[in-house]
Amino acid sequence: MSLTFHWFLPTNGDSRHVVGGGHGTPVTSAGGDRPPSVGYLSQIARAAEQLGFVGALTPTGAWCEDAWLTTAMVSRHTERLKFLVAFRPGFLSPTLGAQMASTYQRQTGGRLMLNVVTGGESHEQRAYGDFLDKDARYARTGEFLGIVRDLWDGKTVDLDGEHLRVEGAKLARLPDPVPDVYFGGSSPAAGQVAARHADVYLTWGEPPAQVARKIAWIRSLAAERGRTLRFGIRLHVITRDTADEAWAEARRLLDGFDPETVRSIQTGLGRSESEGQQRMLALHGGSLDNLEIHPNLWAGIGLVRGGAGTALVGSHAEVAERIAEYHRLGIDEFILSGYPHLEEAYWFGEGVLPLLRSQGLWSHPFQPAAPEQPTAQVPFAATGSS
């Protein structure tokens, strides 16, 4: 099975420095270096498409542009790249969500994937009018996805649930194809929702041993329901021709972190209700020292950014080796990013992907396989009698 790679659209702005934001933290000023215009985001999307990324994740939250609207506009400037649209089920009705996905598929030629984000921060949820606690939000997400799945199957849905109620819900036009549902979460409640409704379970970039335990956990929960899932991981990347060049770039990014900003962001993230966020924080403990937590796995990004906080750092060969290591655990999809997102896409696409292709782990999704070379034929020569 060929590995699948996705890139990231920085709808909170981009920079040659790390742009913060997410999980209730303020967006750092670096995000203004390259504002998230449709033109710039389309430039990144076109590069990703050319290089062989299948899709692009677009985040959700008060700290970034709306993912549905932004990707709908960017899709007009691309041909085949899919968009992994992050959204929060508590902010729209399940019938409307199912209808939006169906419309998106028709208007883009089937290029939608959905990243369902339950929401880990109550204070941000309340700003949008959502006052449920964390466990109730996961229960509502389960009801939401159950309704949406039935609607996509062409069913008429009546549900009087604990959190959602619909009556006579039905779609006039079904999505074709039905978009894959990506879902992550480290809490017991999240695991139950993933096992029941997700197509792809996502984890942030924890060390391989921790990722292996997560995969085993979700596989077991899914097997109890007679389901199998695919697994993906969300990471940043800093890959260069040599390891020294890559680590020099990581040090440059680290040198750009203002200590007071780090302390402020870490204090804010420490109040996060997200179990996944707390696992990210535990990888570095707020310290700027000893940030390589596994060979080529660097936790420095998480000092100033909420959510995914680790990066693969090293030579192209080393990064390819780490990807193969995660793949052996069961990871088939990689959602990657780097600062700045345009240039880093080329570093990875031109440096790492060819190595993975040579190892038989990846093939370009938008290019036909190279034809086999015909076996050289020895010209026939008549042999005379002697």
Side-chain angles (χ1 to χ4, degrees), residues 14 76 80 84 91 94 104 131 143 195 272-273 293 295 338 341:
D14 201 6
R76 311 309 298 170
R80 290 163 293 193
L84 182 49
F91 297 169
Y104 200 114
F131 289 84
E143 291 182 4
S272 173
E273 299 171 22
I293 56 176
H341 288 73

Side-chain angles (χ1 to χ4, degrees), residues 121-171:
E121 316 306 330
S122 290
H123 65 91
E124 187 177 12
Q125 296 293 123
R126 289 193 295 268
Y128 284 92
D130 178 15
F131 289 84
L132 295 182
D133 63 24
K134 179 181 174 182
D135 285 345
R137 290 197 296 268
Y138 275 111
R140 179 181 59 197
T141 295
E143 291 182 4
F144 182 101
L145 290 173
I147 294 169
V148 167
R149 290 286 196 190
D150 283 347
L151 289 171
W152 286 344
D153 285 342
K155 299 176 182 177
T156 299
V157 182
D158 294 290
L159 177 72
D160 187 2
E162 182 180 0
H163 302 286
L164 298 174
R165 180 180 179 184
V166 296
E167 205 172 279
K170 185 175 178 63
L171 293 183

Side-chain angles (χ1 to χ4, degrees), residues 15-18 237-240 242-256 298 301 313 338-340 344 347:
S15 175
R16 294 181 181 274
H17 303 281
V18 176
V237 285
I238 304 173
T239 178
R240 296 292 185 270
T242 69
D244 286 345
E245 290 175 297
W247 284 109
E249 177 64 10
R251 286 191 297 273
R252 186 192 69 80
L253 293 175
L254 189 63
D255 289 343
W298 185 62
I301 303 291
V313 181
Y339 300 97
E344 206 64 48
W347 276 114

Side-chain angles (χ1 to χ4, degrees), residues 85-372:
V85 173
F87 79 103
R88 304 189 189 192
F91 297 169
L92 74 167
S93 83
T95 308
L96 177 59
Q99 182 184 18
M100 289 168 62
S102 182
T103 298
Y104 200 114
Q105 291 297 66
R106 283 191 298 280
Q107 299 298 337
T108 65
R111 293 196 281 148
L112 175 68
M113 305 177 291
L114 291 174
N115 179 28
V116 178
V117 179
T118 295
E121 316 306 330
S122 290
H123 65 91
E124 187 177 12
Q125 296 293 123
R126 289 193 295 268
Y128 284 92
D130 178 15
F131 289 84
L132 295 182
D133 63 24
K134 179 181 174 182
D135 285 345
R137 290 197 296 268
Y138 275 111
R140 179 181 59 197
T141 295
E143 291 182 4
F144 182 101
L145 290 173
I147 294 169
V148 167
R149 290 286 196 190
D150 283 347
L151 289 171
W152 286 344
D153 285 342
K155 299 176 182 177
T156 299
V157 182
D158 294 290
L159 177 72
D160 187 2
E162 182 180 0
H163 302 286
L164 298 174
R165 180 180 179 184
V166 296
E167 205 172 279
K170 185 175 178 63
L171 293 183
R173 302 180 70 182
L174 302 181
D176 183 21
V178 171
D180 281 342
V181 172
Y182 290 67
F183 187 88
S186 300
S187 68
Q192 294 296 331
V193 175
R196 185 175 292 111
H197 297 291
D199 297 301
V200 181
Y201 175 80
L202 289 177
T203 179
W204 285 330
E206 298 177 10
Q210 296 180 30
V211 170
R213 288 193 288 271
K214 269 191 175 180
I215 290 175
W217 168 53
I218 295 296
R219 272 185 177 153
S220 175
L221 292 177
E224 292 174 3
R225 293 161 176 78
R227 301 187 71 234
T228 57
L229 279 66
R230 306 195 306 277
F231 293 90
I233 192 167
R234 171 78 180 94
L235 288 156
H236 305 276
V237 285
I238 304 173
T239 178
R240 296 292 185 270
D241 295 337
T242 69
D244 286 345
E245 290 175 297
W247 284 109
E249 177 64 10
R251 286 191 297 273
R252 186 192 69 80
L253 293 175
L254 189 63
D255 289 343
F257 295 173
D258 172 64
E260 184 53 41
T261 299
V262 172
R263 283 192 292 271
S264 175
I265 288 176
Q266 291 302 299
T267 298
L269 291 175
R271 294 192 291 267
S272 173
E273 299 171 22
S274 165
E275 188 165 329
Q277 182 62 70
Q278 295 306 318
R279 291 167 70 102
M280 283 283 101
L281 295 180
L283 296 177
H284 55 68
S287 171
L288 278 67
D289 300 319
N290 303 316
L291 290 171
E292 189 177 6
I293 56 176
H294 181 78
N296 306 109
L297 184 64
W298 185 62
I301 303 291
L303 291 171
V304 295
R305 184 192 192 278
T310 54
L312 295 178
V313 181
S315 68
H316 303 315
E318 288 172 335
V319 171
E321 184 179 343
R322 294 285 77 75
I323 286 171
E325 180 179 8
Y326 280 113
H327 176 52
R328 288 192 292 270
L329 301 178
I331 298 291
D332 292 321
E333 302 200 22
F334 293 79
I335 302 175
L336 306 174
S337 57
Y339 300 97
H341 288 73
L342 180 61
E343 289 91 326
E344 206 64 48
Y346 280 105
W347 276 114
F348 184 87
E350 295 177 343
V352 178
L353 288 181
L355 295 178
L356 295 171
R357 177 166 50 199
S358 70
Q359 298 169 25
L361 293 176
W362 177 78
S363 60
H364 198 298
F366 307 133
Q367 294 177 357
E372 293 186 10

